[in-house]
Amino acid sequence: MNRGVTPQSEDFSAWYNELVAKAQLVDRGPAKGTMVIRPYGYRLWELLQAELDRRIKDTGHENAYFPLLIPESYLQREAEHVEGFAPELAVVTHAGGKELEEPLIVRPTSETIIGEMMAKWISSHRDLPLLLNQWANVVRWEMRPRMFLRTTEFLWQEGHTAHADEADAMGETMLALGLYEQVARDIAAIPVVPGEKTPGERFAGAVRTYTIEGMMRDGKALQCGTSHYMGANFARAFDIGYTAASGRRELCHTTSWGMTTRMIGAVIMTHGDDKGLVLPPRLAPYQVVIVPIRDTAPACHELAVRLRAAGVRVHVDDRPHLSPGFRFNEWELRGVPIRLEVGPRDLESGAAVLARRLAPGKESVPLDTLPSALPVILEEFQESLLQRATAFRDEHTVTVGTWESFAAAVSTGWALTLHCGRPSCEDLIKAETAATPRCIPLAGPAESGTCVRCDQPSAYGKRVIFGRAY
Ligand SMILES: [Zn+2]
């Protein structure tokens, strides 16, 4: 049986689709576009979730839970919001054996229902800011599903906050973006670029949308998290207001921000190679797999106990009916950072053979030193992944001045370009190259000139990243 996957270089899309299944991350659900997240994939999500949840709480937010079913009339209160989501909505019209008087929407996002509750809970400036977060599933009907990247149902967290004024709400919008950048970089080893979306790419109902964009190994961009400043749009629609210290009635300014199971797709496509997954140690369900050879299983389980005490997530693969070579290949495909092989002769000399997922060759390491050595080796591995991904991103990002160089840059990666900011010009570029504006990087230096496509004066006062995207 061939356990491998189609090489990335041959067909990136086939590589991805085969890998998510063969690495036992997901399986297809029976309803179109749904996914079953298997234990190995779910553990990855739990590890990411724990890191993000801790940061969300450390910055003063509280978790709550709101209903899955939302009255249809709620969505209609914010015109842009309902227009943006209408094509993706799943609607419940019958329940309890009867047609419902008012249809219920399966939540695509929770601005409306949380807005309704905020209006009830906030009355004075002393109630602000109100900082909420929800971990939940959402449903957005997907015509072209792709596991983790676009599925009809996915998991996420959605932060929803209300503030007294624009300055406070914008501070919150950027704080959430910063948390996402930190988690993507420090935990998932993805060197994302934080920036603002152009008006055409804004969230439905937002005044400003910010994003973190990662570059995948096929040169395409993946939006890894977004943070929105809503102005008073939702406050107006849901009457979220407060009495100011002056005694005047004011509208709140709100934000929302989300990171989803799409991040697992980002990890796969940022680090994976022809042999399969490569998992950052901080997200790997198993950081170390020990493969006993012949009758060394008891000693391997003892070693595992000592490694767990040292804080290492370790698994002993003692399936005796499978050859060592078969087991090595399987854990390589499933992206385990470090493999330890222990044979009878290794045991006699008090050592194990250590293999790193990304380095050729193996080395013999004394068993006694493993509990102290492995955490260091795993940290080095984590760091090397971030460095490798950063180098890849930088090599595939080109500052362009001509249309020819723009078209060449977006065929293999990103173009940093001046653009006029007109949606019609964005559409033209998309039709000709499949590239879209990914973000206006926050860190970009001030620069202006003429649009790379139409020669009109450039907008935004700095360069924009264009690229093909998932
Ligand atoms: Zn233009």
Side-chain angles (χ1 to χ4, degrees), residues 419-422 425 451 453-456:
H419 187 260
C420 63
R422 294 181 306 142
C425 185
C451 175
R453 180 65 188 79
C454 70
D455 285 333
Q456 298 270 319

Side-chain angles (χ1 to χ4, degrees), residues 141-191:
W141 215 256
E142 189 53 68
M143 305 311 285
R144 295 176 302 128
R146 198 102 191 263
M147 294 294 114
F148 293 120
L149 304 178
R150 282 191 311 265
T151 49
T152 288
E153 179 187 1
F154 57 87
L155 306 181
W156 75 347
Q157 59 68 221
E158 46 182 322
H160 294 272
T161 68
H163 306 262
D165 55 30
E166 175 174 356
D168 204 49
M170 272 304 297
E172 169 73 18
T173 307
M174 302 318 285
L175 172 87
L177 191 75
L179 296 184
Y180 291 158
E181 185 192 0
Q182 207 181 77
V183 166
R185 187 192 57 222
D186 297 347
I187 307 303
I190 303 175

Side-chain angles (χ1 to χ4, degrees), residues 57-91:
K57 287 173 178 153
D58 283 352
T59 45
H61 306 85
E62 292 179 303
N63 285 342
Y65 186 78
F66 296 82
L68 170 74
L69 300 173
I70 302 176
E72 192 177 43
S73 58
Y74 279 33
L75 264 88
Q76 280 155 359
R77 282 192 229 166
E78 216 292 331
E80 276 186 38
H81 190 63
V82 71
E83 195 194 318
F85 279 102
E88 303 177 342
L89 297 179
V91 185

Side-chain angles (χ1 to χ4, degrees), residues 374-411:
L374 276 173
V376 178
I377 292 171
L378 288 166
E379 273 308 293
E380 286 168 1
F381 192 93
Q382 177 85 26
E383 184 54 35
S384 72
L385 282 189
L386 180 63
Q387 280 173 13
R388 192 177 73 133
T390 307
F392 183 88
R393 182 199 67 190
D394 293 347
E395 281 161 22
H396 293 82
T397 303
V398 184
T399 303
V400 301
T402 65
W403 179 243
E404 290 68 36
S405 55
F406 176 96
V410 299
S411 69

Side-chain angles (χ1 to χ4, degrees), residues 26 42 73 75 95 100 109 118 129 153 169-170 174 189 199 220 241 255 280 283 295 316 359 374 391 397:
V26 280
Y42 198 76
S73 58
L75 264 88
L100 296 172
T109 178
M118 282 177 162
E153 179 187 1
M170 272 304 297
M174 302 318 285
K220 286 195 193 173
T255 80
L283 285 182
D295 53 357
V316 180
L374 276 173
T397 303

